[in-house]
């Protein structure tokens, strides 16, 4: 079980992914965009083991969030999600800090398995 910060600007997606991760016993905190996610990380330093974030979001995108998060918390495991090919290409340059990139649409089992691989 892990403490997961889940960041996505679409509420229905956030809710579905949160429920799926909670089925595996993870404690999930959500945020609505990258700025909100960074606030959660800074309000609770060291509280999360995994960051799952969409790439394309308003305010601060997931790549900027991943860079800031890894700078502040080097042990944090990061999974990016995207439905856009150009965003996936941007993520390729982050292999050093990002554990996985899930391409939308993906199944809930794909996310659950990706998180399980990181925390097992």
């Amino acid at each position: 079980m892990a403490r997961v910060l889940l960041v996505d600007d679409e509420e229905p997606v956030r809710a579905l992914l949160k429920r799926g991760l909670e089925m595996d016993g993870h404690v999930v905190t959500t945020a609505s965009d990258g700025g909100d996610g960074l606030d959660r990380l800074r309000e609770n330093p060291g509280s999360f083991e995994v960051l799952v974030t969409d790439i394309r979001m308003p305010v601060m995108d997931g790549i900027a969030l991943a860079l800031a998060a890894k700078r502040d918390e080097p042990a944090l495991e990061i999974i990016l999600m995207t439905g856009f090919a150009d965003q996936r290409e941007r993520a390729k340059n982050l292999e050093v800090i990002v554990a996985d990139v899930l391409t939308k649409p993906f199944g809930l089992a794909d996310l659950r398995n990706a998180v399980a691989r990181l925390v097992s």
Side-chain angles (χ1 to χ4, degrees), residues 31 53 69 100:
T53 182
D100 204 349

Side-chain angles (χ1 to χ4, degrees), residues 64-120:
L65 173 58
L67 291 168
K70 201 63 164 182
R71 180 192 65 230
D72 294 347
E73 299 196 30
L76 187 66
E77 297 285 1
I78 300 173
I79 298 172
L80 297 176
M81 306 177 293
T82 187
F84 299 92
D86 62 323
Q87 300 300 323
R88 187 164 177 82
E89 286 302 313
R90 285 180 59 210
K92 280 187 178 179
N93 298 328
L94 302 175
E95 292 172 343
V96 173
I97 67 166
V98 173
D100 204 349
V101 179
L102 298 176
T103 302
K104 294 178 180 179
F106 56 82
L108 188 53
D110 297 323
L111 176 61
R112 293 171 66 194
N113 290 335
V115 171
R117 281 191 301 274
L118 295 179
V119 299
S120 58

Side-chain angles (χ1 to χ4, degrees), residues 13 16-17 27 34 51 53 56 59-60 67 106:
V13 172
L16 174 68
L17 298 179
V27 177
L51 167 63
T53 182
R56 183 177 255 173
V59 182
M60 172 188 278
L67 291 168
F106 56 82

